[in-house]
Amino acid sequence: MELKVVKPEIVRLQIKEFMNLVKERDNHQLEFLQAVEEVAETVVPYILSNEIYKGKQILTRMVEPERVLMFRVPWVNDEGKIIVNRGFRIQMNSAIGPYKGGLRFHPTVNLSILKFLAFEQVFKNALTTLPMGGGKGGSDFDPKGKTDDEIMRFCHSFMSELSRHIGANTDVPAGDIGVGAREIGFLFGMYKRLRNEFTGVLTGKGMSWGGSLIRPEATGYGTVYFAQNMLKTKGDGLDGKIITVSGSGNVAQYACEKATQLGAKVVTLSDSLGFIYDKEGIDASKLAFVMDLKNNKRGRIKEYVKKYPNAKFIAGERPWGIRCEIALPCATQNEISGEEAKTLLENGCYVISEGANMPSTPEAVRIFLNAKILYAPGKASNAGGVATSGLEMSQNSLRTNWTREEVDSKLKKIMSDIHDSCLEFGKQEDGYIDYVKGANIAGFVKVADAMLAQGVV
Ligand code: NDP
Ligand code: 2IT
């Protein structure tokens, strides 16, 4: 394809004008603006140099959700008190398939957070090579400290409204922060009751009722597979590497598992209260303790040091001051500041594969790119989760179950294909691979071309 050369000052002006337009509407939605700006910086130049997108307002259309649902979620706690939470579903873009994306239950959830996540999801899902549009949802409900019965009543209330707006061919939610196998079970139960149909309306389901093998592992495994793909471009591998991981939930646990299986040593895990540092490495048996602690007992990561007294718990801090070669941020957005990014580099870190969505602040991203290290943004490196959700949808439609090996090999192939797409659009003249640019443009092209074909809708 012939690309037109556009002067840098014109590009800068266009990005500024575009961002002003978005800010005029949503000036207070800081996380959403952050996600949009990161995409605009790489995609606006591409649009300007590519005649087929001229005047089509593709990006202007992409930042406006196709539909935003916001609803009351009343429920009764164990003391008999009525609590009212707020529920959301952002149906962002359906150009290449039904809306697809997780549900987040966390007290910080608001429109800005969910619009940023839904916007990222559109690009991520396009990168997976599977036919999925983008969406995201959730609630400001805080699952911490709630009993199983309270969680069930909340999920049932949430689904009693959401069920009107979703469906296996319309919108297929899944898990995210605060939403795991337990919540998906309660949500699915209420959907099935209300609609009287057993369909693949949610992913992350249990194995005996339509779930896919490897879906629980997929995001963490995929993040590590992506790091492996990046290292391969330098003739390097994971064996013997020291890795810092943040978070101790679904993504962090399986990133730790796969990295350890591939010969690396994971030395940290964290939660919102602080991080643990285990110099000797978090091996399979220690990870089994963490999984039981977090998933069954719903405990805090600091309890690790009671069981393993050689490890340390550092309260109120994140793990980025610990010396490592590879960092896998797997907790939440904006969890690596500019200062922390500098510290990581000073300590010799040269690979960042994001398991979380937008964990690096814009300053941190700039520092990583300027230093030309191997840096993968979440929309590429954590896409294994939603990709395997796509594989769960395929299995549901075919009414079949693939083996662990089949799903894992498809996941590996998808992560390697995503890496290839980043290379196609992100390789610089000096050979450096800008994965941010690569992922943004590759995701954009797929969605934009579908939007062009479908006209102004
Ligand atoms: P979980 O709820 O299983 O775990 C979240 C972990 O992150 C917990 O350890 C939690 O600690 C920590 N955390 C959450 N919020 C904060 C915060 N504000 N400050 C510090 N720590 C925090 O969620 P997941 O593992 O599923 O998700 C982690 C990240 O991965 C998110 O960014 C999510 O969007 C992303 N992701 C998830 C996918 C999936 O398939 N689940 C797919 C792709 C991306 P605490 O318990 O103290 O809150
Ligand atoms: O951010 C994400 O990609 C997810 N939370 C997973 C979404 C999904 O539909 O599996």
Side-chain angles (χ1 to χ4, degrees), residues 58 68 88 120 135 171 204 211 226 229 294 325 339 341 409 428:
I58 302 277
V68 174
F88 303 88
E120 291 274 298
D171 183 355
F226 201 88
N229 281 303
K294 298 300 286 190
E325 283 133 338
E339 281 307 306
S409 79
Q428 308 296 92

Side-chain angles (χ1 to χ4, degrees), residues 287-316:
L287 183 63
F289 167 81
V290 171
M291 287 185 174
D292 180 52
L293 172 72
K294 298 300 286 190
N295 309 345
N296 303 325
K297 305 197 169 78
R298 304 207 178 256
R300 311 300 300 166
I301 198 66
K302 68 180 177 199
E303 291 164 50
Y304 184 96
V305 298
K306 278 194 220 146
K307 173 86 177 165
Y308 304 106
N310 286 347
K312 285 191 203 118
F313 175 68
I314 295 93

